Amino acid sequence: MLDFIYYPVSWILWVWHKVFSFVLAPDSGWTWALSVVFLVFTLRAILYKPFVKQVRTTRQMQELQPQIKALQKKYAKDRQRQALEMQKLQKEHGFNPLMGCLPVLLQVPVFIGLFHVLRSFNRTGTGFGQLGLTPEENAQLGNYAFSPEDVQSFLSARLFGAPISSWITQPMASLQAFTVDGGELPSRWEIAAVAVPLMIIAGIATHFNARASVARQSAQAAANPQAAIMNKLALYVFPLGVLVGGPFLPIAVIIYWVSNNIWTYGQQHLVFRRIDKEEEEKKAAALARRNENAPKPGARPDKSKKKGSAAASDAVDATVDETGEVSLQKDAAAGDGSPAASKSGASAPKPGSRPKNSKRKRR
């Protein structure tokens, strides 16, 4: 049903296995481990641009938080209007919330595909394909892009004595698949000796990646109760989940997890530094433009600009008079011989004369 995921994942893994087979032995556990590592690097390189978009979207969301909170407060009683205003705000700023979680969503099917392909190398008692196969019969089956010879190579590969596709809680019937070509049955202690250190590294790497992301959040975003809960989950619950779920994951999948976190840690610092540099350059350019437009210290004001501004103000006054609006220019024009001027002139007191009382004194 999910062959459109399984086949691309297996083909990438197949290509890297062939590449490292030129340097190392094809049946070596290091060959297969490096194939998994570079499978991760290939997929993350493909997802690099969506990751950069995710970082930009997250920053933009933090910048829009004051406006978002204002809309939430303004339309607290009208959810429909609030949603419309939110969409309008997002459209104005070119903000797409989906881009904030797109890289994570794309990694989920990759993880599922790798988990399925790796466990499909060992079908005995695992629930994949035919059940109850002997180790020899299991090795004679292909696995998506891998031939029966590749399957046999994978089953015989060991990393510090542990099969790379084994996991701590693996049933004994499933472990029998690793005895192909006279191989010894691996013990759980051998598997745990390799899996447990990788689980601890994966948990620590998950914690530090979350820590780097939280440190980049603004104080206002971190104060949000929902963001605070998510930060706690990312910092402590998710790393603990790696330790709890590790015994149920093949060693190759744990290698995938470690490699993915190492790539993420380096990529975060690279992208954040690049975006910080871009923002600093934008601020410097804006400051330079503002300094160019500002008058230089000690410079005389430009009289031509003043004349232009005076002419503009006269034009504005004339426009106001023509539209019939009340202005101070009407009072200034009172002595031009017009009826309005004669009226106002007649009623105006002469210089040095005493004002006449409008009402007679009462006796």
Side-chain angles (χ1 to χ4, degrees):
M1 183 175 65
L2 296 177
D3 286 352
F4 68 96
I5 296 174
Y6 302 149
Y7 273 100
V9 170
S10 62
W11 274 112
I12 296 173
L13 186 63
W14 180 86
V15 168
W16 282 116
H17 177 257
K18 295 302 179 186
V19 169
F20 287 108
S21 294
F22 289 108
V23 182
L24 303 170
D27 300 342
S28 171
W30 289 106
T31 303
W32 286 100
L34 288 171
S35 302
V36 173
V37 170
F38 278 81
L39 164 68
V40 176
F41 292 169
T42 303
L43 294 171
R44 292 306 303 271
I46 294 171
L47 296 175
Y48 176 77
K49 286 189 176 180
F51 178 82
V52 175
K53 186 66 175 178
Q54 175 195 9
V55 174
R56 295 186 187 278
T57 301
T58 303
R59 289 204 169 190
Q60 192 177 15
M61 187 175 181
Q62 292 177 4
E63 293 173 0
L64 293 177
Q65 277 301 313
Q67 299 180 51
I68 291 173
K69 286 186 176 182
L71 289 175
Q72 290 173 345
K73 185 177 180 180
K74 185 176 181 180
Y75 302 106
K77 296 181 180 180
D78 190 351
R79 297 290 181 182
Q80 186 176 1
R81 180 67 184 278
Q82 184 184 121
L84 291 173
E85 292 295 329
M86 289 284 190
Q87 292 176 0
K88 184 179 178 182
L89 179 67
Q90 293 171 1
K91 188 176 181 181
E92 287 176 356
H93 292 82
F95 175 71
N96 187 0
L98 182 62
M99 291 304 300
C101 54
L102 181 61
V104 178
L105 293 176
L106 291 176
Q107 289 182 56
V108 172
V110 173
F111 180 83
I112 294 173
L114 179 64
F115 182 80
H116 178 87
V117 170
L118 292 176
R119 291 194 64 177
S120 295
F121 277 106
N122 177 11
R123 297 171 177 81
T124 307
T126 62
F128 294 98
Q130 303 179 37
L131 300 178
L133 296 174
T134 64
E136 289 73 17
E137 290 173 334
N138 184 67
Q140 292 304 315
L141 296 175
N143 184 25
Y144 297 103
F146 295 97
S147 65
E149 291 76 16
D150 295 329
V151 173
Q152 189 171 0
S153 171
F154 186 86
L155 293 175
S156 60
R158 298 287 189 274
L159 191 64
F160 298 109
I164 196 171
S165 186
S166 61
W167 60 97
I168 297 174
T169 59
Q170 190 170 5
M172 290 301 300
S174 180
L175 287 173
Q176 293 289 336
F178 300 113
T179 61
V180 65
D181 285 345
E184 295 182 1
L185 183 68
S187 67
R188 295 195 188 278
W189 290 109
E190 288 177 323
I191 299 171
V194 178
V196 171
L198 289 172
M199 288 159 48
I200 294 172
I201 295 171
I204 293 172
T206 303
H207 172 78
F208 276 102
N209 276 330
R211 196 172 177 179
S213 298
V214 171
R216 290 282 177 173
Q217 291 180 357
S218 63
Q220 190 173 12
N224 189 342
Q226 294 180 351
I229 293 172
M230 289 303 299
N231 290 341
K232 293 291 183 183
L233 290 173
L235 285 169
Y236 304 108
V237 178
F238 294 164
L240 184 62
V242 177
L243 296 175
V244 173
F248 303 93
L249 298 176
I251 291 174
V253 173
I254 303 176
I255 293 173
Y256 167 88
W257 195 274
V258 173
S259 307
N260 189 57
N261 278 278
I262 291 173
W263 177 280
T264 302
Y265 190 80
Q267 184 175 258
Q268 276 190 113
H269 284 75
L270 177 67
V271 172
F272 284 141
R273 190 180 304 168
R274 175 184 165 189
I275 293 177
D276 288 341
K277 187 178 179 181
E278 288 178 359
E279 290 182 355
E280 288 176 3
E281 289 175 353
K282 286 180 181 179
K283 289 179 182 178
L287 185 61
R289 285 195 300 269
R290 188 171 64 181
N291 292 336
E292 287 177 2
N293 296 330
K296 296 180 179 179
R300 293 183 178 181
D302 193 351
K303 292 183 179 181
S304 61
K305 289 184 179 179
K306 280 192 171 183
K307 288 180 180 179
S309 61
S313 63
D314 291 343
V316 171
D317 292 339
T319 305
V320 172
D321 287 341
E322 287 174 3
T323 54
E325 294 182 4
V326 179
S327 65
L328 295 176
Q329 281 70 22
K330 286 186 177 180
D331 294 335
D336 62 353
S338 63
S342 62
K343 267 187 181 180
S344 60
S347 60
K350 295 179 180 180
S353 62
R354 294 181 180 178
K356 297 180 179 181
N357 295 331
S358 59
K359 295 184 181 179
R360 294 181 181 180
K361 295 182 179 178
R362 294 184 181 179
R363 294 179 182 177

